[in-house]
Amino acid sequence: MSEPTAVDKDVVVSLAYKLTVDGEILDEAGAEDALQYLHGNQNIIPGLEKELAGLKVGDSKTVSVGPEEGYGLTDSEEIEEISLEDFPEGIVPEIGMELEVKDEDGNDLFGRILAITDDSVTMDFNHPLAGKTLNFEVSVVGLRAATPEELAHGHVHGPDGHHH
Ligand code: ZN
């Protein structure tokens, strides 16, 4: 397989990026610590991935991703009241606190405390970026063909051939 010249399916893309939400920089990576992902394999959020197709090394782009194609809309069913009796032992709830609790089925859920009453705590289990528009400034800093093993796994391996 020849080396790729543009972002396309099954190409390993090195991406420098800056993520801004509500005017605040949440995450960034420069050319030296660029994000590597396997294009077309759902390694990154779909709203960003589709905008990167066809870009070449050195190309930059600003991409705005709405919640539907980012981390989803805020779901009111993901906001739940938890009895203080079921609250993890030894933790004093505070508004804004982020913690993991178990649901009725014993699954771990990560959420934030929205409100506290005498006998219950209201928690928001939506992703922290749900309902938000994600603003990306991206630059393609490298492209290479994926190895057969990477294609089989659907993700990028490190320089030593192992998983990140
Ligand atoms: Zn793998």
Side-chain angles (χ1 to χ4, degrees), residues 3 9 16-17 47 49 56 59 70 75 82 92 97-98 101 111-112 121 136 139 147:
E3 286 302 306
K9 184 163 168 49
Y17 70 94
E49 185 167 54
K56 296 176 167 59
D59 283 352
D75 181 354
I82 294 175
V92 180
M97 181 185 269
E98 299 186 337
V101 297
R112 272 155 300 139
V121 172
F136 291 95
S139 304
T147 66

Side-chain angles (χ1 to χ4, degrees), residues 149 153 155 157 163:
E149 196 187 21
H153 287 202
H155 56 230
H157 291 173
H163 291 148

Side-chain angles (χ1 to χ4, degrees), residues 15 35-50 52 69:
L15 202 64
L35 167 77
Q36 284 201 20
Y37 79 96
L38 184 60
H39 191 83
N41 287 262
Q42 299 173 315
N43 291 175
I44 62 173
I45 58 167
L48 176 60
E49 185 167 54
K50 71 171 186 187
L52 301 178
E69 289 188 301

Side-chain angles (χ1 to χ4, degrees), residues 32-81:
E32 58 298 321
D33 58 346
L35 167 77
Q36 284 201 20
Y37 79 96
L38 184 60
H39 191 83
N41 287 262
Q42 299 173 315
N43 291 175
I44 62 173
I45 58 167
L48 176 60
E49 185 167 54
K50 71 171 186 187
E51 292 295 325
L52 301 178
L55 295 185
K56 296 176 167 59
V57 173
D59 283 352
S60 296
K61 192 170 185 179
T62 301
V63 179
S64 187
V65 179
E68 296 90 342
E69 289 188 301
Y71 290 94
L73 297 165
T74 307
D75 181 354
S76 58
E77 289 186 9
E78 296 294 324
I79 296 175
E80 286 180 44
E81 218 171 299

